[in-house]
Amino acid sequence: MYIPYGRQSIDEKDIQAVVDVLRSDYLTTGPRITEFENRVAEYVGAKYAVAVNSGTSALHIACLAAGIKEGEEVITSPITFAASSNCVLYCGGTPVFADIDEHTYNISPTEIEKAVTEHTKAIIPVHYAGQPCDMDAIMDIAKKYNLLVIEDSAHALGASYKGRKIGSIADMTCFSFHPVKPITTGEGGMVVTNSEELYKKLVLFRSHGITRDESVMTEQQGDWYYQQLELGYNYRITDISCALGISQMDKLDKFIDRRRQIANRYNEAFKDIDEIKIPTQLSGCESGWHLYMIQVPADCRKIIFDSLRKSGIGVNVHYIPVYKHPYYQKNGFDGVCCKNGEAFYSRAISLPIFPLLTDEQQNYVIEQVLRIVKESTL
C-alpha cells in the first residue's frame, strides 16, 4: 500500500466532459475557456478572470500586468514553491523575502512592512496550505505605501477570509489547477481581478501580446487584422482542460468539506502529543486545507520522514525556503535568513490529505505517525 500526500479526484462526469470536447469543433481556444473563467470568477466574487496553462503562468502575467520591471522589488514569503518569486525575476524585478508568522506559517504583515523600501512595487502573499493570510493587515500596508497586492492562491481556491472567498480581496489573485490542487485541469491556472484595466493587460500577455480588440488597436484594416501591442507569451489553456475544470467546479465545495474532515481528524489525533505541533487557524479564516502540516523535533525529522516513507506513506516537505536553492544562492540571496521560515522548514512534514483519502487510509497514517514519532523521540 502506498498513500500519496495528494492526488487528483476524477470521476466519470469529468471524463465525459473531456470526451465531449474531444468530439467537438474546439480543442484549443473555444467556448469552454470563457465558461470556466466565468464559473471561477462568480464563485470567488471577482469581476474578471483569465485562464492560462499553469499557476506559474498566472503569476507571471500578473506581474507583467502590474508593470514589475528592473530595479523594482516585490515582497513575498520564503515558505512557498519557487514560482512565487520566480515570477518577479522573469520581469527583471527583485524578490524580497519577509519572514513567516511562526503560528500560521504565512507571511507576517509586520515583516512585510519592515521590508518596504522606496523600490517596493508589490506584495505577493502566499496562502500557504490553503490558510488565508492576514489580508486586512496586508491590504492596509499596501494602501499606506501605494503597493499592488497579487495573491498567490495556488493552495486556496475555496478558502475564505472573514466571510469573503479568496479571490475577491486583492488587486489580482492567482490560482493553480495542478492535479494535487483543490480542483484540477491537468495543468492550468487563472488570474482573477476586479480591475478592467488589469484584465485587459492580462488577456494581452496570455497570448503573445496580440489583440483583435478595435478599442485598443492603433488602426483597423479589415476583419483579418490583428496587432501585437505587447511582448506576450503563449500561455493559453485548452478547451479540453477547461471542460475538466468546469466539471471539477461542480464538486469543489464537496472537495473542500472532505479536506476539512480529514484535517479535523488529524487535529484530534495529534492535539495532545507533545512531540507533534498541529497547524493553527487564523481567526476568521476557513482554510482550503491543500496541505496538512505537522511539525516534529528538528533532530528527528529526517528519521521520521524516512520511516513514514518506508511504511508506504508518501509524506513530503513543503517547502525548502526559496532563497536556499542554488540558483538564488549564486544570484545575490546567500545572505538572506528568515529565522521563522528556516525553523519551520527544519521541522515540517506534510501528511496525506486529498478528497479520496479513505478513513481507513487515514487511520493507518495516524497510527504510523504516532508509532514512529514515539519511537524516534524516545
Side-chain angles (χ1 to χ4, degrees):
M1 177 174 61
Y2 177 77
I3 306 171
Y5 85 86
R7 71 181 302 268
Q8 68 272 17
S9 300
I10 301 294
D11 63 18
E12 289 303 317
K13 289 184 178 179
D14 296 323
I15 294 169
Q16 188 59 51
V18 171
V19 171
D20 289 346
V21 169
L22 291 172
R23 290 175 172 151
S24 76
D25 293 333
Y26 295 94
L27 297 183
T28 53
T29 304
R32 293 293 182 268
I33 295 173
T34 300
E35 184 180 351
F36 183 44
E37 290 170 338
N38 290 341
R39 282 291 301 275
V40 175
E42 181 181 4
Y43 180 88
V44 303
K47 291 182 180 179
Y48 307 101
V50 179
V52 289
N53 59 7
S54 74
T56 301
S57 300
L59 285 163
H60 187 192
I61 65 169
C63 285
L64 289 168
I68 306 300
K69 58 184 182 296
E70 187 175 354
E72 294 181 330
E73 297 172 349
V74 178
I75 300 169
T76 192
S77 172
I79 300 300
T80 183
F81 187 60
S84 305
S85 56
N86 286 351
C87 59
V88 179
L89 295 174
Y90 297 156
C91 297
T94 301
V96 174
F97 296 100
D99 209 351
I100 63 170
D101 179 278
E102 62 181 328
H103 301 294
T104 66
Y105 317 148
N106 278 329
I107 192 168
S108 162
T110 301
E111 297 300 316
I112 290 174
E113 188 157 20
K114 288 180 184 177
V116 174
T117 73
E118 61 181 316
H119 303 295
T120 307
K121 176 79 171 185
I123 307 168
I124 300 180
V126 180
H127 301 306
Y128 176 77
Q131 153 102 280
C133 295
D134 186 350
M135 290 307 298
D136 283 349
I138 290 171
M139 296 305 291
D140 284 346
I141 293 167
K143 183 177 180 180
K144 180 178 179 180
Y145 296 101
N146 193 29
L147 307 175
L148 286 168
V149 178
I150 302 167
E151 294 172 278
D152 182 341
S153 301
H155 297 179
L157 181 63
S160 299
Y161 177 80
K162 297 185 177 181
R164 299 175 66 184
K165 291 291 187 188
I166 292 299
S168 63
I169 300 169
D171 296 288
M172 290 177 278
T173 302
C174 300
F175 296 111
S176 170
F177 308 125
H178 180 275
V180 298
K181 297 301 182 1
I183 65 166
T184 188
T185 57
E187 286 279 6
M190 188 176 290
V191 188
V192 298
T193 183
N194 287 316
S195 165
E196 183 178 8
E197 179 184 0
L198 290 172
Y199 168 70
K200 289 182 176 180
K201 291 179 181 179
L202 292 165
V203 171
L204 268 181
F205 286 120
R206 170 175 63 182
S207 187
H208 304 282
I210 289 174
T211 186
R212 294 179 184 271
D213 182 352
E214 293 184 27
S215 69
V216 295
M217 289 166 61
T218 60
E219 63 175 318
Q220 173 58 280
Q221 297 183 10
D223 287 346
W224 74 89
Y225 198 65
Y226 59 87
Q227 291 183 327
Q228 181 181 338
L229 303 180
E230 299 283 354
L231 182 60
Y233 298 82
N234 182 0
Y235 284 167
R236 296 189 300 266
I237 194 170
T238 68
D239 253 34
I240 300 167
S241 295
C242 289
L244 176 56
I246 294 163
S247 181
Q248 288 267 295
M249 283 297 294
D250 292 336
K251 298 177 278 283
L252 174 57
D253 287 339
K254 182 177 73 173
F255 289 164
I256 298 296
D257 285 345
R258 178 56 184 155
R259 287 178 178 274
R260 287 174 179 155
Q261 291 172 12
I262 293 167
N264 288 336
R265 293 190 77 223
Y266 279 141
N267 287 341
E268 188 65 27
F270 302 139
K271 67 180 181 181
D272 296 322
I273 308 301
D274 291 340
E275 296 80 11
I276 300 175
K277 181 179 179 181
I278 62 175
T280 300
Q281 286 287 285
L282 186 67
S283 177
C285 292
E286 289 287 342
S287 177
W289 292 108
H290 166 60
L291 299 172
Y292 186 90
M293 307 296 298
I294 60 171
Q295 291 188 66
V296 297
D299 57 351
C300 303
R301 198 270 301 272
K302 188 176 187 304
I303 295 171
I304 294 169
F305 181 93
D306 291 344
S307 297
L308 286 168
R309 282 278 182 97
K310 288 176 183 176
S311 298
I313 301 169
V315 290
N316 213 326
V317 173
H318 296 91
Y319 294 94
I320 301 165
V322 175
Y323 58 80
K324 287 289 190 182
H325 288 297
Y327 177 85
Y328 280 81
Q329 287 287 294
K330 68 185 181 184
N331 282 283
F333 293 86
D334 52 317
V336 177
C337 178
C338 294
K339 292 182 179 179
N340 289 345
E342 292 192 21
F344 172 70
Y345 165 63
S346 72
R347 299 191 293 259
I349 295 179
S350 309
L351 299 184
I353 185 166
F354 52 92
L356 293 181
L357 184 73
T358 66
D359 286 351
E360 291 74 20
Q361 288 174 318
Q362 188 179 14
N363 289 341
Y364 176 73
V365 173
I366 290 169
E367 291 167 4
Q368 293 303 307
V369 169
L370 292 173
R371 177 185 66 82
I372 290 168
V373 168
K374 181 179 180 180
E375 291 175 355
S376 303
T377 56
L378 289 175

